[in-house]
Amino acid sequence: MARPRDENKIEAIYEATLKLVLETGFNGLKMADVARAANLATGTLYIYFKNKEVLINELYYHLKKNKTLKMLEAFDAKDPFVVAFKKLWLNYLTISLAEPERMKFIEQYTHTGYLTKKTKQQSDQLLQPLEEFLAIGIKQGLVKRLPVQLLLSQLMGPINESVKLHYDQTLKMTSSLKEELFQMAWSSIKA
Amino acid sequence: MARPRDENKIEAIYEATLKLVLETGFNGLKMADVARAANLATGTLYIYFKNKEVLINELYYHLKKNKTLKMLEAFDAKDPFVVAFKKLWLNYLTISLAEPERMKFIEQYTHTGYLTKKTKQQSDQLLQPLEEFLAIGIKQGLVKRLPVQLLLSQLMGPINESVKLHYDQTLKMTSSLKEELFQMAWSSIKA
Amino acid sequence: MARPRDENKIEAIYEATLKLVLETGFNGLKMADVARAANLATGTLYIYFKNKEVLINELYYHLKKNKTLKMLEAFDAKDPFVVAFKKLWLNYLTISLAEPERMKFIEQYTHTGYLTKKTKQQSDQLLQPLEEFLAIGIKQGLVKRLPVQLLLSQLMGPINESVKLHYDQTLKMTSSLKEELFQMAWSSIKA
Amino acid sequence: MARPRDENKIEAIYEATLKLVLETGFNGLKMADVARAANLATGTLYIYFKNKEVLINELYYHLKKNKTLKMLEAFDAKDPFVVAFKKLWLNYLTISLAEPERMKFIEQYTHTGYLTKKTKQQSDQLLQPLEEFLAIGIKQGLVKRLPVQLLLSQLMGPINESVKLHYDQTLKMTSSLKEELFQMAWSSIKA
DNA sequence: GATGAATGAGTGTTCATTCAT
DNA sequence: AATGAATGAACACTCATTCAT
């Protein structure tokens, strides 16, 4: 059976799944509920996604991809490195703050065992442009000479944590705080 | 008098649960398996833990507590701030690397919805000594004047990410790399 | 379109439940057995009845209703009161004797706590036509001026007991005995 | 193991069982709860009653016996038949009304399958004095020439129903109503 | 393709009973 | 005898997936 092409339905399923996972949490996710929320019959769901695992994995990749592409929109090859870096960094933070739902979902499933090796690899692929970008910084002597994956993780870790604090209401993200956080990030990786 | 309640059993259950969660992942965890692995009858499990959720939550807190206490062992009030900070930071990294299982479990459940609000709060409580410690650094003008919770998250985020890379074999943690990472951490928060 | 909901199944479930309750008694009733006896998968049972309690309650009402309606078939508004009364009384006895299974089930669950208040009320509703009928007898000065519910209970109690004796083989119900019992019943309520 | 002799404990168990059956109904009855309510350890319960079935059966017989004996206290061999009959009849009604708990329990378990044949037979034995009493009435030409068991059932059925109506609050039992009911009963069986 | 009724393996939890102390 | 921790068979109910229509 070739994958059918009704992109509207796929989108509806993604929306429904996202919503339900956030509401009922991880374990509460039932295929029947997803179907209902997407205004489909249970069986129809299985026409579009072979099974639950596939649904989760594809949604995960879908969200991750969207997020990454969105972040990269801020990139202008003509900018000097530091300018470009700041634009990207801020953009990533902004996106993460703007779409808490999607963020949370990603977080939620990252360490679950639900995610296939393949999905994880594909997702990591998405970060390649960023890794290449950092490599340029290193070559220009602006960034610490460390593995790009490590640098990336050191950048993303703090951002993700900040966003969580923002969600928890532990902290309100202001633009001056953003600036502060950026300074911290840059201080940590600059050569 | 009846057999006395055997407190070793609790530890056995913790071990078994930990082992199984890591093996089969979150969803695979079956109470019957936990019981078998802990050498108990199913029913016995329920004498010690009211239900699955409680078991998970208590184990989570148990691990988090142990880890935190272990980290704090490195603390000596007589040390100057920066020395104490480095000791604590390195200790946390070392512990995280040394007990990947416990680490992974904690990570795995942190954002899952399986964890009660209460458990989360109690777990956060554990970090209070560290927050107070950072407050001293601020007072001494050594650390950026930012909310301690934020500082803490900016410190832990990168460590956790590094440990993950180490697990994934993406990266080998050497002592020179540790030093490097520490420098990055310190650079990011120092005033 | 999916398979249409098969209303025969409900009847099959009723039959199976009835049979099993009578065989294994109240406590022995297992949902899995009911399903098997009705030639269904366990899950299917739960499509038609939300849970065990609901199944029992609906079956109870179903049987009670059938029995009551069957009894009322003997009623002809043109008959003089005493004639109509005798017809109804005999009819009730005959039906009770003819369908021992259904009778036993009803008896069995009437005082068990398994039955919802709602079910009890609805079941009592069924007797209303009889109560109205007795009210006519009172108005005509033929029947003792007592609450109709009381009269009804005084009539049904002895019938039920007689039927039980018949089941137990303590007693064989003959038509002359029926006549005798009717005389007793009528003597007890006639004005 | 000979049955131990601590009659206080046996009584406490009876009380507890009775109370719990009435509260939680038939299915809710748990041996552990009975033990707790009787201020005993679970194991102790099993010293006094081999198992749940035995407990239920013995309690049933115990209550039935008490009730019957109490009723017979009203009997005076010197009374003329009709006087004695009325005394007994009223006494039975009064007792039934006075101890609704015990009554309900008996009713509840009568049709449950929990009760052994043996228990039922033994319980029926208890009624023998009454059957003999009715036989006298027949011999004296005062009572209908019908099997005594039948007569008895025709007498008890209505009383039980009346008591139920009283419990349900459908009806308030007054002494004039008692008289009325007695007249109905006597009318129904008198020769 | 779409539907939703049907399936049945699977699972958390209970509870009568046993038994070590 | 008394205790209550331990046992494990049992069971109601769920839910991913299939399939008849």
Side-chain angles (χ1 to χ4, degrees):
Chain A
M1 248 169 290
R3 170 68 77 76
R5 285 293 70 198
D6 190 336
E7 290 294 338
N8 286 345
K9 287 209 173 94
I10 291 180
E11 196 53 43
I13 293 169
Y14 280 158
E15 289 301 334
T17 308
L18 193 51
K19 185 187 151 223
L20 288 173
V21 168
L22 271 342
E23 267 174 34
T24 58
F26 187 87
N27 274 236
L29 190 69
K30 283 162 234 168
M31 293 299 266
D33 289 347
V34 172
R36 186 169 22 259
N39 252 306
L40 297 171
T42 333
T44 313
L45 200 54
Y46 283 82
I47 294 170
Y48 290 86
F49 296 91
K50 191 168 167 290
N51 57 40
K52 193 175 175 178
E53 196 188 11
V54 167
L55 169 58
I56 297 293
N57 276 271
E58 302 212 345
L59 173 53
Y60 179 84
Y61 182 70
H62 176 75
L63 294 175
K64 196 102 182 184
K65 187 174 166 191
N66 280 179
K67 189 181 176 185
T68 312
L69 292 179
K70 218 166 184 176
M71 169 174 42
L72 290 173
E73 282 173 9
F75 180 66
D76 184 343
K78 285 167 293 185
D79 285 332
F81 180 82
V82 184
V83 173
F85 176 76
K86 186 164 184 177
K87 277 189 187 170
L88 283 170
W89 189 96
L90 280 170
N91 197 218
Y92 181 72
L93 178 58
T94 305
I95 290 165
S96 298
L97 287 166
E99 308 203 9
E101 304 210 339
R102 288 170 168 71
M103 264 302 289
K104 252 191 182 168
F105 178 89
I106 291 173
E107 270 294 318
Q108 203 142 112
Y109 278 84
T110 305
H111 309 288
T112 303
Y114 240 116
L115 255 29
T116 311
K117 283 228 163 105
K118 205 181 149 199
T119 303
K120 280 183 199 162
Q121 283 176 333
Q122 287 181 331
S123 303
D124 286 346
Q125 288 292 330
L126 292 169
L127 299 175
Q128 223 180 300
L130 292 175
E131 292 174 4
E132 287 164 11
F133 174 69
L134 284 173
I136 293 171
I138 293 173
K139 210 170 285 171
Q140 297 184 0
L142 298 169
V143 170
K144 281 198 161 77
R145 185 167 299 281
L146 287 170
V148 284
Q149 284 176 321
L150 181 65
L151 290 170
L152 212 50
S153 74
Q154 303 296 302
L155 291 166
M156 294 204 150
I159 293 184
N160 293 158
E161 294 293 325
S162 305
V163 174
K164 267 184 259 172
L165 289 177
H166 180 73
Y167 293 153
D168 294 353
Q169 320 254 5
T170 312
L171 190 89
K172 217 177 73 190
M173 191 61 62
T174 62
S175 69
S176 71
L177 184 52
K178 282 187 191 177
E179 184 62 30
E180 199 96 52
L181 288 172
F182 172 73
Q183 289 307 333
M184 292 173 76
W186 178 243
S187 304
S188 74
I189 69 158
K190 78 153 182 261
Chain B
M1 241 162 300
R3 223 167 312 176
R5 236 175 206 251
D6 185 350
E7 294 298 329
N8 286 352
K9 292 214 171 74
I10 291 183
E11 198 52 44
I13 294 170
Y14 280 156
E15 290 302 335
T17 309
L18 191 52
K19 186 185 149 223
L20 289 172
V21 167
L22 270 343
E23 268 174 35
T24 58
F26 190 86
N27 278 233
L29 189 69
K30 269 134 228 169
M31 293 300 265
D33 290 347
V34 172
R36 188 170 17 259
N39 249 305
L40 298 171
T42 335
T44 311
L45 205 52
Y46 285 83
I47 294 174
Y48 292 87
F49 297 92
K50 194 171 166 293
N51 57 39
K52 193 176 173 178
E53 196 189 10
V54 168
L55 169 57
I56 296 292
N57 275 270
E58 301 213 342
L59 173 53
Y60 178 83
Y61 181 71
H62 176 74
L63 294 176
K64 195 105 182 183
K65 187 175 168 189
N66 280 177
K67 191 181 176 184
T68 311
L69 292 180
K70 218 167 185 173
M71 171 175 37
L72 290 172
E73 283 172 9
F75 180 67
D76 184 343
K78 285 167 295 187
D79 287 331
F81 180 82
V82 183
V83 173
F85 177 76
K86 186 164 185 177
K87 277 188 186 169
L88 284 170
W89 189 96
L90 279 171
N91 198 220
Y92 181 71
L93 178 59
T94 304
I95 290 165
S96 298
L97 288 166
E99 306 202 9
E101 303 210 339
R102 287 170 167 70
M103 265 301 290
K104 249 190 182 167
F105 179 90
I106 291 173
E107 269 296 314
Q108 204 145 109
Y109 280 82
T110 304
H111 309 290
T112 303
Y114 237 113
L115 257 30
T116 312
K117 283 230 163 106
K118 203 182 150 199
T119 302
K120 280 183 199 161
Q121 284 176 332
Q122 286 181 330
S123 302
D124 286 347
Q125 289 292 332
L126 293 169
L127 299 175
Q128 222 179 300
L130 292 176
E131 292 174 3
E132 287 164 11
F133 173 68
L134 285 173
I136 294 171
I138 294 173
K139 209 170 286 175
Q140 298 186 0
L142 299 169
V143 171
K144 282 198 159 77
R145 184 166 300 281
L146 287 170
V148 285
Q149 285 176 321
L150 181 67
L151 291 170
L152 212 50
S153 74
Q154 301 297 302
L155 291 165
M156 294 203 150
I159 293 184
N160 293 158
E161 293 293 325
S162 306
V163 174
K164 268 186 257 171
L165 290 177
H166 179 73
Y167 293 153
D168 292 353
Q169 321 253 2
T170 313
L171 190 90
K172 218 177 73 192
M173 190 62 62
T174 62
S175 69
S176 71
L177 185 52
K178 282 188 190 177
E179 184 61 31
E180 199 95 53
L181 289 172
F182 172 73
Q183 289 307 332
M184 293 173 75
W186 178 242
S187 306
S188 73
I189 68 156
K190 77 154 182 262
Chain C
M1 240 162 302
R3 223 166 313 173
R5 234 174 206 252
D6 184 350
E7 294 298 329
N8 286 353
K9 292 212 171 74
I10 292 183
E11 197 53 43
I13 294 169
Y14 280 157
E15 290 301 335
T17 309
L18 191 52
K19 184 185 150 224
L20 288 171
V21 167
L22 271 342
E23 267 174 35
T24 57
F26 191 87
N27 279 234
L29 189 70
K30 270 133 228 170
M31 292 301 264
D33 290 346
V34 172
R36 190 171 14 262
N39 249 305
L40 300 171
T42 334
T44 311
L45 205 52
Y46 285 84
I47 295 174
Y48 292 88
F49 297 92
K50 195 171 167 289
N51 57 40
K52 193 175 172 178
E53 197 190 8
V54 167
L55 169 57
I56 296 293
N57 276 269
E58 302 213 341
L59 174 52
Y60 178 83
Y61 182 71
H62 176 74
L63 294 175
K64 194 104 181 185
K65 188 175 167 188
N66 281 177
K67 190 181 176 185
T68 311
L69 292 179
K70 219 166 184 176
M71 172 177 35
L72 289 172
E73 282 173 10
F75 180 67
D76 184 342
K78 284 166 296 185
D79 285 331
F81 180 82
V82 183
V83 173
F85 176 77
K86 185 163 187 178
K87 277 188 187 170
L88 283 170
W89 190 95
L90 279 171
N91 198 221
Y92 181 72
L93 178 60
T94 305
I95 289 165
S96 298
L97 288 166
E99 306 202 9
E101 304 210 339
R102 287 169 168 72
M103 264 301 290
K104 252 191 181 166
F105 179 90
I106 292 173
E107 267 296 312
Q108 204 145 111
Y109 279 83
T110 304
H111 309 290
T112 304
Y114 237 114
L115 257 29
T116 312
K117 283 229 164 108
K118 205 181 149 198
T119 303
K120 280 183 200 161
Q121 284 176 332
Q122 287 181 329
S123 302
D124 286 347
Q125 289 291 332
L126 293 168
L127 298 176
Q128 221 179 299
L130 292 176
E131 293 173 5
E132 288 164 10
F133 173 68
L134 285 173
I136 293 172
I138 294 173
K139 208 170 287 175
Q140 297 186 359
L142 300 169
V143 171
K144 282 197 159 77
R145 185 166 299 279
L146 288 169
V148 284
Q149 286 176 322
L150 181 67
L151 291 169
L152 212 51
S153 73
Q154 302 297 303
L155 290 165
M156 293 202 151
I159 294 183
N160 293 159
E161 294 293 325
S162 305
V163 174
K164 267 186 257 172
L165 290 177
H166 179 74
Y167 293 153
D168 292 353
Q169 320 254 1
T170 313
L171 189 91
K172 218 176 73 191
M173 191 61 63
T174 61
S175 69
S176 72
L177 184 52
K178 283 188 189 176
E179 184 62 30
E180 199 96 52
L181 289 171
F182 172 72
Q183 289 308 332
M184 293 172 75
W186 178 242
S187 304
S188 74
I189 67 156
K190 77 153 181 262
Chain D
M1 247 171 293
R3 170 68 77 76
R5 286 293 68 198
D6 190 335
E7 290 294 338
N8 285 345
K9 287 208 174 96
I10 291 180
E11 195 55 41
I13 293 170
Y14 280 157
E15 289 301 334
T17 308
L18 192 52
K19 184 186 152 226
L20 289 172
V21 167
L22 270 342
E23 266 174 36
T24 58
F26 186 87
N27 273 235
L29 188 70
K30 282 161 232 168
M31 292 301 266
D33 289 347
V34 172
R36 187 169 20 262
N39 253 305
L40 298 172
T42 333
T44 313
L45 201 54
Y46 283 83
I47 295 171
Y48 290 85
F49 295 91
K50 192 169 168 290
N51 58 39
K52 193 175 175 179
E53 197 189 9
V54 167
L55 168 58
I56 297 293
N57 277 270
E58 302 211 345
L59 173 53
Y60 179 83
Y61 182 71
H62 176 74
L63 294 175
K64 195 102 182 185
K65 187 174 165 191
N66 280 177
K67 191 181 176 186
T68 312
L69 292 179
K70 219 166 183 177
M71 169 174 41
L72 290 172
E73 283 172 10
F75 179 66
D76 184 343
K78 285 167 293 185
D79 285 332
F81 180 82
V82 183
V83 173
F85 176 76
K86 185 164 186 179
K87 277 189 187 169
L88 284 171
W89 189 96
L90 279 171
N91 197 220
Y92 181 71
L93 178 59
T94 304
I95 291 165
S96 299
L97 287 166
E99 308 204 11
E101 303 209 339
R102 287 169 167 73
M103 265 302 289
K104 252 192 182 168
F105 177 90
I106 292 173
E107 270 295 317
Q108 204 144 109
Y109 278 83
T110 305
H111 309 288
T112 303
Y114 242 116
L115 255 29
T116 312
K117 281 228 165 106
K118 204 181 149 199
T119 303
K120 280 183 200 161
Q121 284 175 333
Q122 287 181 328
S123 303
D124 286 346
Q125 288 292 331
L126 293 168
L127 299 175
Q128 222 180 303
L130 291 176
E131 291 173 6
E132 288 164 10
F133 173 69
L134 284 172
I136 294 171
I138 294 173
K139 210 170 285 173
Q140 298 185 359
L142 299 169
V143 171
K144 281 198 161 77
R145 184 166 300 280
L146 287 170
V148 285
Q149 285 176 320
L150 181 66
L151 290 170
L152 211 50
S153 73
Q154 302 296 303
L155 290 165
M156 295 204 150
I159 293 183
N160 293 159
E161 294 292 325
S162 305
V163 173
K164 268 185 257 170
L165 289 178
H166 180 74
Y167 293 154
D168 294 352
Q169 320 254 7
T170 313
L171 188 91
K172 218 177 73 191
M173 191 62 62
T174 61
S175 69
S176 71
L177 184 52
K178 281 187 191 176
E179 184 62 30
E180 199 95 53
L181 289 172
F182 172 73
Q183 289 307 333
M184 292 174 75
W186 177 244
S187 304
S188 75
I189 67 158
K190 77 154 183 261

